[in-house]
Amino acid sequence: MLQIRNANNTTNTDVTQNIYVTANDLQTIAQASVYYLIELTSLGSKNSLYFLPEAVSITNLPRYIGIRFTVIDKDETASPTTGRIKFYDATGKLDTYPMGFYTYNIYEQTSNSNLDPANATLLQEGMAYVRDYSGNMEEVTPDFNEYNASTTQYVYP
């Protein structure tokens, strides 16, 4: 499981992430021509972020590749084609991309600007955990109703 740390909005500290994956195992495009597209989908909100890494390290091929991207604070402008993403929405909240569990997909493509997975080939999928800067998880207000103890229930013999 990947661990991703959110930016610190109190101090405006961005966080550079390095993740290591074996997506190159199924790669069909030559390493010199490939661009990786990453999709993060929140299990809580079902919303997805798409971005291209800012750098890819191939020093440990064929074992794994290193992918680097930066998580920026809520006051900056995201640039997904250059690997700068943020989990905050336009209002500065985490409702759209909450802290917690995500699925990730890594795709291969020959475009250095495409953010649509329909135009790319899936290489790897897995789970990721996104946490806030200090390591805590901020929860989204639930959209369900909890058990109501005043409801009468019957048991028939």
Side-chain angles (χ1 to χ4, degrees):
M1 181 184 318
L2 302 179
Q3 297 284 324
I4 300 173
R5 187 177 184 191
N6 197 11
N8 186 341
N9 288 316
T10 307
T11 61
N12 295 331
T13 304
D14 297 342
V15 177
T16 300
Q17 306 284 327
N18 290 297
I19 59 174
Y20 302 95
V21 295
T22 57
N24 57 300
D25 287 349
L26 301 173
Q27 187 173 307
T28 60
I29 300 172
Q31 192 64 47
S33 303
V34 73
Y35 291 92
Y36 298 102
L37 170 64
I38 294 134
E39 172 186 23
L40 291 172
T41 303
S42 168
L43 294 182
S45 69
K46 304 297 184 204
N47 294 314
S48 296
L49 279 170
Y50 300 94
F51 64 95
L52 305 177
E54 66 183 64
V56 176
S57 171
I58 58 170
T59 56
N60 292 304
L61 280 178
R63 187 159 181 244
Y64 62 86
I65 56 171
I67 293 176
R68 186 175 72 217
F69 59 95
T70 301
V71 180
I72 59 176
D73 69 72
K74 67 180 178 185
D75 296 326
E76 294 183 55
T77 302
S79 176
T81 56
T82 61
R84 295 180 62 79
I85 64 168
K86 66 179 178 178
F87 292 100
Y88 292 90
D89 57 24
T91 62
K93 296 184 178 180
L94 293 167
D95 295 340
T96 307
Y97 306 109
M99 302 295 95
F101 289 100
Y102 281 69
T103 58
Y104 75 86
N105 291 321
I106 299 175
Y107 301 87
E108 70 175 346
Q109 61 183 359
T110 55
S111 171
N112 64 355
S113 61
N114 174 53
L115 296 174
D116 184 358
N119 301 325
T121 304
L122 180 65
L123 293 176
Q124 183 174 337
E125 55 189 351
M127 294 292 297
Y129 182 75
V130 177
R131 61 185 179 87
D132 74 3
Y133 188 81
S134 61
N136 298 319
M137 180 177 158
E138 296 180 25
E139 295 187 16
V140 178
T141 305
D143 292 334
F144 61 88
N145 295 325
E146 294 188 27
Y147 171 73
N148 185 350
S150 65
T151 303
T152 304
Q153 298 182 9
Y154 302 96
V155 177
Y156 296 98

